[in-house]
Amino acid sequence: MKRNLQYRLILILVVLLGSILLFYPPSQKIKLGLDLKGGIHLVLQVVTRDALEAKVAQLREVIEADLRENDVVFTRTRVTEDLEIEILGVLRDQQAQLEEILRLYSADWTYRPQFRAREFDAVLSMTEAAKLRTADETVQQARETLQRRVDQYGVAEPTITVYGSGQLKDQIIVELPGVEDFDRVLNLIRTTARLELKLVHPTQGGPYATREGALQAHGNNLPADYEILPFREGTETGEQTTYMVVRKAQSIGGEHLKDARRRQSDFTGWEIEFFLKPQGVTLFSRTTEQNVGTRLAVVLDDEIRSAPNIQERIATESAQITGSFTAEEAGDLALVLRSGALPAAIRILENRIIGPSLGLDSIRRGVLASVVGLVLVVVGMLVVYRLSGINAIVCLVLNLLILLGVLASLHATLTLPGIAGVILTIGMAVDANILIFERIKEELGLGKTVRSAVAAGFDRVTRTILDTNLTTLIAAAILYQVGTGPVRGFAVTLGVGLMANIFTAIFVSRTLFRLVLEQREVERLSI
């Protein structure tokens, strides 16, 4: 019997020392949440339609190239408002040839013909499953891109999670504790940073003073493969905006980018130098070789930053983005280019800034509430249950130590609702001890000895304690599953505290009673 008691004491001692080692020193092991440390809280929505439009437009160009390569006669192709691809004016006797080409895309697209006299139109529609998958991939890619940007910026312990309702989860919650330069971080997050190199129209590319002037130069009928983009360039009198006609299809894109960095130029101040991957170098070389004499526009977020003339084939891996950049702007732009372009635009649905002074005040108030609650509980237990109250106090302290140790090992973030979870854990722990003590008093009232009353009290209350704690634990699990941010912090703290409470109330408290009772014969229990 004594050997069994020794094992129980050794286990309790190991748990105690392990918990202390896990969270000590608390200033380094316990992470503070946004509401305690201060920082920025953002709810972003990814405009997934942008990605769908880009995918549809890319497929339209691929199909158009396939049709020409296979000598399929058609009038033109276009993308509708419903993101359907229409192939217009196909000869009736080439239907089988067309369908053979479209069969390559049957996994994600449905096809229906619309017949006329000698020709027909083919309409391609993306399946709902493909749309949902594309949207989900876009959101995940956006989250990863934001994570890389935040990591490169140097924010410690950021929280970036995907959130939403229904099948489509298109919102991203970003929590950045300790951030003070809010405007700069906001700009880094919402900048799309889509880099593209596009060929300028060989004869009527511009620049033009206005968008209308560019359109008039093409007889108010811009070719389907071209678009008009603004060209922001620096002059001796400052910046001016003109317009150029460029191909819609990019020659080189951000996916071919290997690295980017800022550098100081002798002529334009700060500029960004970017480096291409081997595949990008090959495309760059081929593009410049086939288009000598044509201008190549460097496009950033649908705005032309420079448009040099191609004098000869260029096979180098580096190029520059020039403009009127400050050192900070050039550095930030290089950062977002390195981390990758966002696959779609994002909208800021919620922007909440918490100052560090407010966080410190929350910590002081939360700690004060916890200490006051703990002191009142200790005094109450000593007054009501006398020496047996010490048993409850020891269990309560161990409960809190286990809670802090587990939170530190899980790298959980302590928030203000998390502190509320700690306070609730104190109450739940005391409630379990009260159930045990009251049952022991009932057994003593029936005339049983102290030893048998203690054993009967624990045996008959154990199931009740398990039921109450497990029921609350289920509620905490549901809160964690459906909640976000602070709600999850509360659920984690409460859940860990409940499991620690089961251990201390049933195992530790009984061990302490046995330790006293086996040392000597106790005829009266101070309870």
Side-chain angles (χ1 to χ4, degrees):
M1 197 69 168
K2 288 186 177 181
R3 183 175 295 276
N4 179 268
L5 181 60
Q6 287 175 352
Y7 290 149
R8 293 172 73 99
L9 290 173
I10 290 172
L11 177 59
I12 294 171
L13 186 61
V14 169
V15 171
L16 173 62
L17 293 177
S19 300
I20 294 174
L21 289 175
L22 283 174
F23 81 86
Y24 186 83
S27 59
Q28 298 178 13
K29 298 292 184 67
I30 302 295
K31 298 190 298 182
L32 298 181
L34 192 68
D35 50 0
L36 299 179
K37 194 174 182 180
I40 186 169
H41 171 90
L42 297 170
V43 179
L44 310 174
Q45 184 178 43
V46 182
V47 184
T48 54
R49 184 179 171 89
D50 286 358
L52 291 172
E53 288 177 349
K55 185 172 185 176
V56 172
Q58 183 181 27
L59 182 62
R60 183 192 70 81
E61 292 201 359
V62 171
I63 290 175
E64 196 171 290
D66 288 345
L67 295 177
R68 289 197 176 98
E69 185 177 332
N70 289 275
D71 298 322
V72 176
V73 179
F74 64 99
T75 305
R76 64 189 179 98
T77 63
R78 70 178 183 183
V79 177
T80 68
E81 287 293 322
D82 295 329
L83 299 183
E84 293 181 330
I85 300 174
E86 293 183 341
I87 307 171
L88 307 177
V90 184
L91 296 179
R92 289 285 294 268
D93 57 4
Q94 289 188 310
Q95 180 178 354
Q97 197 173 349
L98 172 66
E99 290 177 351
E100 183 66 26
I101 295 172
L102 298 182
R103 193 170 290 116
L104 298 172
Y105 313 104
S106 59
D108 293 334
W109 294 80
T110 59
Y111 154 75
R112 69 178 187 274
Q114 295 178 345
F115 295 103
R116 295 196 299 274
R118 290 186 172 182
E119 54 188 33
F120 72 100
D121 301 333
V123 181
L124 289 176
S125 303
M126 190 184 296
T127 63
E128 290 301 318
K131 288 181 179 179
L132 192 62
R133 185 174 65 254
T134 300
D136 183 63
E137 290 172 353
T138 301
V139 175
Q140 292 298 332
Q141 186 181 344
R143 195 206 71 80
E144 292 171 5
T145 300
L146 291 174
Q147 183 75 57
R148 287 194 297 270
R149 291 185 184 181
V150 169
D151 289 343
Q152 290 195 31
Y153 182 76
V155 178
E157 300 164 357
T159 301
I160 303 177
T161 54
V162 175
Y163 178 72
S165 57
Q167 286 185 306
L168 178 59
K169 292 178 170 54
D170 61 348
Q171 295 179 17
I172 300 176
I173 297 177
V174 181
E175 293 185 344
L176 307 176
V179 171
E180 296 182 2
D181 194 348
F182 304 115
D183 293 335
R184 186 181 178 193
V185 171
L186 275 176
N187 189 53
L188 283 175
I189 286 176
R190 63 188 172 196
T191 299
T192 308
R194 186 172 65 253
L195 177 66
E196 301 167 300
L197 271 62
K198 296 185 174 184
L199 289 167
V200 179
H201 194 284
T203 58
Q204 294 175 305
Y208 300 95
T210 63
R211 188 180 295 273
E212 291 74 17
L215 192 59
Q216 289 173 5
H218 291 267
N220 291 321
N221 187 20
L222 197 67
D225 294 340
Y226 285 86
E227 62 183 342
I228 300 171
L229 294 180
F231 180 18
R232 185 156 59 97
E233 58 181 334
T235 64
E236 294 181 357
T237 58
E239 280 192 348
Q240 69 173 13
T241 300
T242 55
Y243 296 87
M244 301 189 75
V245 180
V246 300
R247 282 190 64 86
K248 286 183 179 179
Q250 64 181 21
S251 300
I252 299 170
E255 64 273 16
H256 302 118
L257 201 66
K258 179 172 64 175
D259 194 12
R261 65 189 181 197
R262 71 177 181 183
R263 74 172 191 178
Q264 197 162 14
S265 169
D266 296 334
F267 304 102
T268 59
W270 289 95
E271 64 184 21
I272 297 93
E273 184 176 27
F274 61 88
F275 300 86
L276 299 172
K277 298 175 183 177
Q279 183 185 9
V281 174
T282 302
L283 290 173
F284 197 30
S285 175
R286 184 189 307 163
T287 299
T288 53
E289 182 179 18
Q290 296 175 353
N291 296 277
V292 173
T294 304
R295 299 180 74 174
L296 183 66
V298 179
V299 182
L300 183 66
D301 288 341
D302 294 327
E303 186 178 83
I304 299 172
R305 291 303 183 98
S306 59
N309 196 58
I310 301 174
Q311 302 288 351
E312 58 183 355
R313 173 176 171 272
I314 304 173
T316 59
E317 68 169 7
S318 64
Q320 293 79 37
I321 304 174
T322 59
S324 302
F325 297 111
T326 65
E328 186 176 278
E329 289 172 343
D332 288 348
L333 181 54
L335 185 154
V336 294
L337 287 175
R338 283 196 305 272
S339 59
L342 287 170
I346 56 174
R347 297 192 187 105
I348 298 178
L349 301 182
E350 182 183 341
N351 175 8
R352 182 155 46 90
I353 296 172
I354 301 172
S357 59
L358 181 60
L360 290 174
D361 184 61
S362 298
I363 294 174
R364 285 194 295 267
R365 291 175 180 271
V367 171
L368 178 62
S370 301
V371 170
V372 170
L374 183 60
V375 169
L376 291 176
V377 166
V378 167
V379 172
M381 294 300 290
L382 291 176
V383 169
V384 176
Y385 297 106
R386 293 177 286 183
L387 291 180
S388 295
I390 298 175
N391 182 311
I393 295 168
V394 172
C395 291
L396 181 57
V397 172
L398 182 57
N399 194 330
L400 293 176
L401 291 176
I402 294 173
L403 173 59
L404 292 174
V406 174
L407 289 179
S409 66
L410 294 175
H411 304 288
T413 301
L414 185 63
T415 61
L416 195 58
I419 293 178
V422 173
I423 298 173
L424 183 56
T425 297
I426 294 173
M428 295 286 290
V430 171
D431 180 64
N433 284 108
I434 291 174
L435 286 174
I436 294 169
F437 293 167
E438 290 298 323
R439 186 65 198 184
I440 291 173
K441 287 170 71 174
E442 289 181 7
E443 298 294 332
L444 290 172
L446 294 175
K448 292 184 177 181
T449 64
V450 172
R451 190 184 297 272
S452 61
V454 169
F458 276 98
D459 290 340
R460 295 178 180 178
V461 173
T462 296
R463 183 167 181 172
T464 303
I465 293 174
L466 286 174
D467 287 345
T468 55
N469 281 274
L470 289 176
T471 303
T472 312
L473 191 60
I474 292 172
I478 295 173
L479 279 177
Y480 182 83
Q481 184 66 29
V482 303
T484 59
V487 176
R488 281 191 165 189
F490 172 79
V492 169
T493 306
L494 179 60
V496 174
L498 289 170
M499 289 186 287
N501 183 37
I502 293 173
F503 173 72
T504 56
I506 296 175
F507 186 85
V508 177
S509 181
R510 188 166 193 166
T511 301
L512 294 177
F513 271 116
R514 286 183 58 183
L515 180 64
V516 173
L517 294 177
E518 292 191 12
Q519 295 297 320
R520 56 189 176 86
E521 190 66 33
V522 179
E523 296 182 359
R524 292 178 58 83
L525 187 65
S526 178
I527 191 169

